[in-house]
Amino acid sequence: MHRGLRIFGRSSGLQVQSASGDKGFLSLPFSLLPMTVMMPETLSPTLKADVLSEALPYIQRFHGCTIVIKYGGNAMIDPLLKAGFARDVVMLKLIGMNPVIVHGGGPQIGELLEKMKIESAFVQGMRITDERVMTVVEMVLGELNQEIVALINRYGGRAVGLTGQDGKLIHARKMKLKDKLSGFDLDLGLVGEIEKIEPELIDLLVSRNFVPVVAPIGMGSNGEAYNINADLVAGKLAEKLAAEKLIMMTNTVGVLDQKGNLLTGLTAAQIEALFEDGTIHGGMLPKIGSALEAVKRGVKSAHVIDGRVPHALLLELLTDSGVGTKIYSEADDGR
């Protein structure tokens, strides 16, 4: 029997149980999670020791490995979650892993556009981005990037903020999208897709013990800036860096079946079946699609985790149970 905590996802919240099973279940609705889950003062000394002991084989296994983290959702909004995320990243670096962060900023961009009375229009989930909107995108992503870097550095890390324009990291081109009914090309403005990634700057920073923090802005052939979906950037960067893991932080417990139960481990083939039957839909499509593509192209595993859970990053990487859905290739054993 594994030691530590078992965490079971449900659509309404989490259930937590000691691994021995002798404490019963504690049901935690999401509204209470920031105040209750894994707060040190709520754990007995024995349970604290169990949690630390449980982490050892994972620290050994992933020492020196690159972990690409797509940072988004409530974890970028709630002050306690933001601070917890920064501390967790610093801890991962100190125990020998190499975290690389890619962040989004869609809600914050939308909020500023609304304040500036600039209309937002979406086509197939993509924000139409003219020059005025692109100026706001660059402004917001720049501010968020600086905030993330400052938090990591405050807790003892050495973070460096980047966009895809720095060091020609992300080469982009205008995204081509067709109308589903007419088949005509749609003009999304300065929305881009990735042409190629040159990871030398990331490799250099990691080799010098820095934590790269990447804003998803790409560079066109004429030097123009393109707004790129952060999920796609994280997936392609994980692939290019030959990452051990790609972690997607979201506002859901993970991939759910049609009854709302968490699916904790899925092969690439099982994920494709969930696409086909419509179980995975809406806003989860680009996230899971990017994760699936990364696994197919050599990333050992991808994880979709709930960023509303304090220290979700550590729970997924350093405990037996984890707190989300793991996606792995058929060649992997799923552990």
Side-chain angles (χ1 to χ4, degrees), residues 1-2 28 58 70 72 89 108 138 176 208 210 213 292 330:
M1 177 82 67
H2 292 310
L28 301 172
Y58 297 101
K70 163 42 193 350
V89 168
Q108 294 90 337
E138 291 184 284
K176 296 179 179 178
R208 301 292 179 87
F210 290 98
V213 180
L292 176 62
E330 282 75 2

Side-chain angles (χ1 to χ4, degrees), residues 16-305:
V16 182
Q17 182 188 42
S18 67
S20 63
D22 59 358
K23 298 294 183 181
F25 280 103
L26 173 64
S27 295
L28 301 172
F30 288 124
S31 61
L32 298 181
L33 281 173
M35 296 181 287
T36 53
V37 176
M38 293 300 291
M39 292 294 103
E41 61 271 17
T42 68
L43 302 179
S44 69
T46 300
L47 190 50
K48 289 179 183 178
D50 284 347
V51 171
L52 292 172
S53 177
E54 186 178 317
L56 178 59
Y58 297 101
I59 294 172
Q60 293 171 322
R61 179 176 177 182
F62 302 133
H63 186 87
C65 292
T66 297
I67 312 293
V68 174
I69 304 161
K70 163 42 193 350
Y71 179 44
N74 278 26
M76 282 186 65
I77 299 173
D78 182 274
L80 291 177
L81 294 177
K82 289 194 291 186
F85 172 80
R87 289 167 61 97
D88 293 351
V89 168
V90 172
M91 179 174 174
L92 293 178
K93 190 66 176 178
L94 288 174
I95 62 178
M97 299 182 201
N98 296 316
V100 176
I101 300 163
V102 177
H103 67 86
Q108 294 90 337
I109 291 168
E111 183 178 342
L112 184 55
L113 287 171
E114 185 176 350
K115 287 181 180 178
M116 296 177 68
K117 301 189 183 306
I118 298 175
E119 185 177 350
S120 284
F122 290 83
V123 176
Q124 296 183 25
M126 302 286 184
R127 188 192 304 273
I128 295 177
T129 306
D130 60 18
E131 290 185 3
R132 285 200 309 163
V133 172
M134 190 66 208
T135 298
V136 173
V137 168
E138 291 184 284
M139 184 189 310
V140 171
L141 292 180
E143 290 178 356
L144 290 172
N145 191 277
Q146 291 176 21
E147 180 185 19
I148 296 164
V149 167
L151 274 172
I152 293 171
N153 291 345
R154 179 188 302 174
Y155 291 108
R158 301 173 70 207
V160 175
L162 306 167
T163 76
Q165 297 167 297
D166 295 312
K168 296 183 177 179
L169 173 61
I170 303 174
H171 293 253
R173 58 181 172 240
K174 187 181 181 71
M175 175 175 280
K176 296 179 179 178
L177 198 65
K178 291 187 178 296
D179 185 271
K180 292 181 178 180
L181 295 177
S182 68
F184 293 140
D185 290 335
L186 299 171
D187 186 1
L188 300 177
L190 294 171
V191 176
E193 58 186 8
I194 298 169
E195 191 168 40
K196 69 174 179 176
I197 288 179
E198 295 187 22
E200 288 82 4
L201 181 55
I202 298 289
D203 289 334
L204 176 62
L205 290 170
V206 169
S207 72
R208 301 292 179 87
N209 288 319
F210 290 98
V211 177
V213 180
V214 181
I217 298 174
M219 182 187 70
S221 58
N222 295 317
E224 67 274 31
Y226 282 106
N227 181 23
I228 306 176
N229 182 287
D231 298 320
L232 302 180
V233 171
K236 287 295 183 183
L237 190 56
E239 174 190 329
K240 197 68 178 179
L241 294 173
E244 177 76 20
K245 293 180 179 292
L246 166 65
I247 297 181
M248 300 283 199
M249 299 185 72
T250 70
N251 283 344
T252 179
V253 295
V255 179
L256 305 177
D257 65 18
Q258 293 186 351
K259 295 182 179 179
N261 297 313
L262 177 66
L263 302 171
T264 57
L266 295 166
T267 66
Q270 289 171 323
I271 285 290
E272 288 178 331
L274 294 174
F275 279 137
E276 291 177 7
D277 69 13
T279 299
I280 298 174
H281 60 278
M284 290 296 284
L285 285 171
K287 297 181 189 301
I288 307 302
S290 179
L292 176 62
E293 189 69 17
V295 168
K296 285 183 174 181
R297 294 181 179 272
V299 176
K300 297 288 181 63
S301 61
H303 304 247
V304 181
I305 68 173

